Amino acid sequence: MSTRLTIVVGVTGGIAAYKAVGVIRALVLEGHSVHVVATDAALRFVGKPTLEAISRNPVATDLYEGVAEVRHVAIGQSADLIVIAPATANTIAKLAAGLADDLLGNTVLASTAPLVIAPAMHTEMWRNPATVANIATLRKRGVTIVGPAVGQLTGADSGPGRMVEPQAIVVAALSTVGRRVSELPVSDAPGARQDLEGRRILITAGGTREPLDPVRFLGNRSSGRQGVALATAALARGATVTLLAAHLDVEPPTDVEVHEVGTARELESAVKDASASADVIIMAAAVADYRPLEVREKKIKKSKSGERLVLELEQNPDILAGLAASKRPDQIVVGFAAETEADPSALIEVGREKLARKGCDYLVLNHVGWSEGFATERNEVVMLRSGGDIVMEAFGSKLSVANRILDIIASR
Ligand code: CTP
């Protein structure tokens, strides 16, 4: 295969079609030849001139244009890779049924290239048994499904259904044909190395929530992005990954075993169940230190006379400290600490104290603030080992930070 791939990007009719422009642009900037096949519905969301300018090629839409060159099959036959982003519920149903009533359907049917789709739709449509069955059918046929992500949808609703960000689609799509995105360091590219093959890694991610009453909880701002990046990177390096997920804002990779947990105590029991078979345990979740002493059966009502509300909290178990105290000598336990200490040397001191108190093998330390650390795509960390030495400092995407952390673990 030549360095330059011929990639067909199918764009279908959802609001996320505007983000397809980012996918096309990233693939073009990677040096590939990109041919857009847009459905009529897609062109209601994003203009043909935009798609042509960004892809640097004419955009095909009509089944009955270019009939003399048998274009309905020629596009698919020439493709090294087909990426459909966004893939609507309707397109997914058509792909599952093998329909060819438009140019995109014909292109897919006429092609033997890997097919990668990035679903985007409302949560109800994603969870509808028809869509669930269609996705299962496509998966069985070897189609790579990227996402959807969990988050804010077009209306006021939120949940699984958001199209995954363009860069992640590009990374996933290129990895199906053994390519990586040049912007990523070599070790960040999926499949670039297999130094964790045969290792079982348990990762906790997200933030626990402690209920106060049926409608309220005490929570934190952790999005789970760093934990999911660790799971993604570990999987790509050959590990078997179990993810204990506490309220993630992002979708974990499909090949990871995911157990959802709500509270700190639920996380503790899930960690107890899963840790015995793990070689490495990475506690990236933000765990609530306290829970309400009493969980009210009914919604707490506002005081009519303006009195203050006092909540009594009791401490949650320290899962990491418990784990570190009872671990087998061959297990590696990694803790995380998100601290608001701004001074770098004071931050390291806080980290050293915490590492000693928790008794884990490593502590990954980062600075957080009102606008730093949470829900962002980038992170800056210092990794300390038992005893307090700095073993690694990293700054960059959460995926590249995850790989630097795994480099240290793999080197043990
Ligand atoms: N952690 C845990 N159980 C808890 C609290 C935290 O396992 N009840 C883990 C986290 O997953 C993280 C590490 O301990 O890996 C550090 O979390 P942090 O909240 O920073 O530690 P605390 O013990 O809460 O320390 P402090 O409140 O003094 O900052």
Side-chain angles (χ1 to χ4, degrees), residues 240-256:
T240 303
V241 183
T242 302
L243 187 71
L244 304 181
H247 312 286
L248 303 181
D249 288 350
V250 286
E251 192 87 345
T254 39
D255 289 335
V256 165

Side-chain angles (χ1 to χ4, degrees), residues 204 264 267 282-290 315-323 334-339 350 353-354 357-358 360 363-364:
T204 69
L267 180 64
I282 307 179
M283 290 287 295
V287 185
D289 286 332
Y290 291 91
Q315 276 208 10
N316 272 325
D318 190 323
I319 306 166
L320 178 62
L323 202 58
V334 183
F336 267 70
E339 302 291 345
V350 170
E353 183 278 320
K354 188 166 284 188
R357 177 158 50 87
K358 301 271 183 181
C360 47
L363 190 79
V364 180

Side-chain angles (χ1 to χ4, degrees), residues 30 33 105 143 150 201 208 241 258 318 348 375 407:
E30 285 295 313
S33 169
V143 175
V150 180
I201 303 197
T208 62
V241 183
V258 180
D318 190 323
I348 305 282
D407 288 345

